Amino acid sequence: MSDVSNTTENGILSLTKGIARPALVSAVFFMVVAGIAYPLVTTGVANILFPDQAQGSLIVRDGQTVGSRLIGQYFARPEYFHGRPSVTAGADPNDPSKSIDQPYNAGASAASNQGATSKKLLDAVNERARAYREENGLAPDAPVPVDAVTASGSGLDPHISVANARLQAARVARVRGLPPATVLALVNDHTSGPQIGALGDPRVNVLELNLALDAATTARPAAQ
Amino acid sequence: MEHDLTQFALILAIMAGLVFVLGKWMTHLFVSPAHNIIERGTYRLLGVDPAEKMSWKRYGMVLLLSNAAMMLLGYLLLRVQQYIPGDALERASQSPHLAFNTAASFITNTNWQSYSGETSLSNFSQMAVITFLMTVSAATGVAAAGGFIRGLSRKSAADIGNYWVDFTRVIFRLLLPICFVLALVYVWQGIPQTLNAEAIANTLEGARQQLIVGPVASLETIKHIGTNGGGFFAMNSAHPFENPTPLTNTLHILSMLLIPSALTYTFGSMIARRRQGWAFFAAFLVMFLGFLALVYSAERAGNPMFASAGVDQAQTQLQAGGNMEGKELRFGIAQTSLFVTTTTAATTGSVDAMHSSLTPLGGLVPIAEMMLNNVFGGDGVGLINLVTYAILTVFLVGMMIGRTPEFLGKKVEAREMKFVMLAVLAHPFSILGFTALACLTPSTLASLANMGPHGFSEVLYAYTSGTANNGSAFAGLNANTPFFNTTIGLAMLIGRYLTLLPMLAVAGVMAAKTTVPEGPGTLSTSTPLFTGLLVFVVIIVGGLTFLPALALGPIVEHLLMLSGTTF
């Protein structure tokens, strides 16, 4: 193998000869190119072409930012459609050193990470299914859509399944005093099919649906 | 079901089409003698001679030392983060063991994250540390593959090319142009790209919602094109800001497979044996489809334990159904299964669903793919790993038929087999050794989120992910402890450099050999028979090595789930 080892006969010194300076310069240079120039140029161009999306697809109502089209938010009141369970947590407002449940905390995305045989997971699913049936006036043995009782990966899932939305429609219509057909029509309007006809599954954007409900309800709920 | 299969077929067909385009482009990149003006400027700035012919040792040394300098720079920036002005949220610097883990993780293309993006990194760090290290680690892998293939394609040569040229070209001609265009598509679909740190919303129910934003799109592109995988946000590509639509999910999947699959074409082109490239592509694809079928059927079937709660997991017109814990509705089972299979095949490690909440057999797939480490594999290293196994296959078959093994017209002899075996053994040694060490360490129990076999899987997954330079996790494990940060950091370095450097050595040794004419006894390595043998060897070696560990984790968990046992 003498033909290959010509360069190595002088040992490690000749191998590393002249590398130290280029190695250090390359670290700084490519940090500037890939870590600063590339993201900054992208930011500049993106904000000219798509200023709305670049800032987070925010929804403004009556001059106030009410959320992002892409990020789910927590709905507990009966007059709104509810999103999927979320296990995100946040700092306790009374004691910031403690962490408490805070569903749809977009400052700290989180999932349960519980495995299929986890007792905690099964207990939680049982409890959510019970609460879902009670809230929506379903029979105690009525099947519940899986997305309504399982926590999403991000804790910020903006969508629910069409099956889930339809089961909640009766409750929402009753509390709001709207005809069920109106509410179901709104659900249909806010159902997206597969993207470009092939990708993903049908889904309903909960925040957009609830905004449409508010717009359709002449007398908004008192808290608004 | 039909809709799901259509999606698989569509996406994989596009992937195969891109193999031609990008494969040709990368061949040109590695063989073209001309340097463009930006590249010439770069060489002058670095003070290197682009005409220098490097032996494999010199090539490997430059790779190692430049990576070390970049890792050090990343480490320092993370340690001083809080003193760099401009972060509205004033996020603190990382601790020494965490910064070591992060820098090691990103320079080795692993992207294991012991931290949570939104609470611990400023926008400056997300760009100047994370995006930077993602780019250079991917370029390192692709450059190494270039040097490796060049070595195999030469005869009686003393050099395998010039590392600086390969590295610089990969960044300027391949990674940055693709990433820039793709980032704009991502922003169009809704991924934020801004220097602001947050947006505050008042929700419909009157709560305050803090939306973390930043330069996400520019990170997201290189994250997948570079088979990196580390998320801007804690929940990675499950977070709607990292992956807002099924289209972005599809583009993520295609991005991850782009370079690893196209390198098979580049390989075939550069060694002037196109069929050899396709034989390797076929080997990748066969294993990939097998794993995809397993994870898809397991997740589609759902969790049998949910039945008693009256949960409807069936797929209908109105819902995607399946095991939805830890998954996002916009992706459903099909898009999620394809992503799971891809991210650990291409050793990216980003996740669009929580792997820890997959069904046991669904969760076995990512672990097994990382253990094999060459179902497509990461940028550059995947192909190198497959060639490692191809040489092993030639050797085993040669032993069986009693002939001197040959690969690409060259004799395979004792010296290169020793390097091959070093690369093959470093991988399980690191995974199983560190897992055993962690299991014997009493403090490990405190880090587990799940008990029973799933807890063992969490630990096994962590070291497999680190060694395979994947970076995904059974994220129930709290790995931000000095023990885990240090040992996983070491696993990542071993997994990267103890497989890469021996294979550069093989390339160097092979380059120096003369070719022998093919005879009637030569085993052709570009036939379907050889592809079959190769897959067989990969699975047998992987199976013999890892099956006992898998049996203690996902396999026993699957059996316990069927019998209704909970933990």
Side-chain angles (χ1 to χ4, degrees), chain B residues 430-440 456 459-461 463-464 549:
Chain B
S430 170
I431 295 175
L432 298 175
F434 280 121
T435 303
L437 183 66
C439 288
L440 293 173
F456 175 75
V459 176
L460 179 65
Y461 197 112
Y463 291 108
T464 309

Side-chain angles (χ1 to χ4, degrees), chain B residues 474-548:
Chain B
F474 268 15
L477 183 75
N478 170 23
N480 187 12
T481 65
F483 176 79
F484 279 115
N485 276 338
T486 311
T487 50
I488 295 172
L490 289 174
M492 295 189 281
L493 294 171
I494 293 173
R496 178 77 164 177
Y497 300 107
L498 273 189
T499 54
L500 204 52
L501 295 176
M503 291 316 286
L504 280 180
V506 170
V509 175
M510 296 289 268
K513 292 189 186 224
T514 51
T515 48
V516 286
E518 288 192 12
T522 303
L523 171 76
S524 168
T525 53
S526 56
T527 56
L529 173 69
F530 184 79
T531 299
L533 284 169
L534 173 58
V535 171
F536 183 73
V537 167
V538 168
I539 301 217
I540 289 291
V541 171
L544 286 176
T545 315
F546 294 113
L547 204 58

Side-chain angles (χ1 to χ4, degrees), chain B residues 115-456:
Chain B
Y115 64 90
S116 130
E118 45 283 58
T119 50
S120 36
L121 288 186
S122 65
N123 282 345
F124 178 79
S125 296
Q126 296 275 22
M127 298 185 335
V129 180
I130 303 301
T131 308
F132 155 58
L133 289 180
M134 280 178 166
T135 312
V136 294
S137 65
T140 301
V142 181
F148 178 72
I149 299 172
R150 206 178 283 121
L152 293 184
S153 71
R154 291 184 173 175
K155 56 180 175 182
S156 312
D159 74 292
I160 62 169
N162 184 307
Y163 177 78
W164 292 117
V165 172
D166 289 342
F167 180 84
T168 307
R169 285 186 183 180
V170 169
I171 289 197
F172 286 121
R173 297 192 193 180
L174 183 70
L175 298 179
L176 289 183
I178 299 179
C179 286
F180 176 68
V181 174
L182 197 58
L184 296 179
V185 176
Y186 282 172
V187 178
W188 167 57
Q189 283 291 300
I191 301 183
Q193 179 71 24
T194 168
L195 297 182
N196 294 338
E198 61 174 354
I200 301 295
N202 289 298
T203 69
L204 297 199
E205 295 202 352
R208 177 180 179 279
Q209 192 180 39
Q210 181 198 27
L211 302 160
I212 303 286
V213 291
V216 188
S218 56
L219 183 149
E220 205 61 20
T221 46
I222 187 62
K223 166 176 140 184
H224 288 117
I225 292 287
T227 65
N228 287 287
F232 192 98
F233 300 98
M235 292 299 111
N236 210 293
S237 291
H239 196 294
F241 274 163
E242 285 200 29
N243 198 356
T245 63
L247 179 60
T248 55
N249 196 57
T250 303
L251 291 172
H252 289 339
I253 292 169
L254 289 171
S255 297
M256 289 190 252
L257 293 172
L258 186 67
I259 293 177
S261 62
L263 272 174
T264 59
Y265 186 93
T266 306
F267 179 77
S269 276
M270 284 174 68
I271 60 166
R273 293 164 190 245
R274 283 271 160 76
R275 283 186 59 195
Q276 187 65 57
W278 290 115
F280 282 165
F281 180 77
F284 280 151
L285 196 62
V286 166
M287 293 189 277
F288 184 86
L289 291 175
F291 283 119
L292 175 62
L294 183 58
V295 69
Y296 174 72
S297 57
E299 297 309 305
R300 168 57 66 221
N303 185 343
M305 303 241 196
F306 287 177
S308 64
V311 176
D312 181 7
Q313 300 180 82
Q315 184 182 28
T316 66
Q317 289 293 321
L318 301 180
Q319 68 162 13
N323 171 32
M324 286 303 287
E325 178 69 24
K327 293 195 182 62
E328 298 285 297
L329 202 92
R330 60 195 177 283
F331 308 136
I333 299 298
Q335 286 265 337
T336 303
S337 301
L338 192 55
F339 197 106
V340 169
T341 314
T342 305
T343 189
T344 46
T347 69
T348 306
S350 59
V351 293
D352 78 344
M354 295 306 112
H355 287 187
S356 188
S357 295
L358 295 171
T359 57
L361 288 187
L364 179 139
V365 165
I367 304 185
E369 283 187 321
M370 294 186 293
M371 285 170 166
L372 300 184
N373 208 13
N374 55 18
V375 185
F376 288 106
D379 278 1
V381 292
L383 181 82
I384 295 178
N385 287 337
L386 192 69
V387 173
T388 309
Y389 274 91
I391 295 176
L392 189 61
T393 306
V394 166
F395 183 75
L396 290 176
V397 173
M399 293 292 107
M400 282 191 269
I401 57 175
R403 297 193 66 96
T404 309
E406 290 163 22
F407 183 60
L408 308 177
K410 288 170 179 172
K411 283 201 175 103
V412 177
E413 291 165 304
R415 185 163 174 221
E416 47 275 20
M417 278 315 293
K418 284 180 191 156
F419 286 126
V420 165
M421 287 319 294
L422 177 61
V424 169
L425 289 175
H427 186 68
F429 176 76
S430 170
I431 295 175
L432 298 175
F434 280 121
T435 303
L437 183 66
C439 288
L440 293 173
T441 308
S443 63
T444 298
L445 276 179
S447 280
L448 299 180
N450 287 269
M451 292 296 129
H454 199 83
F456 175 75

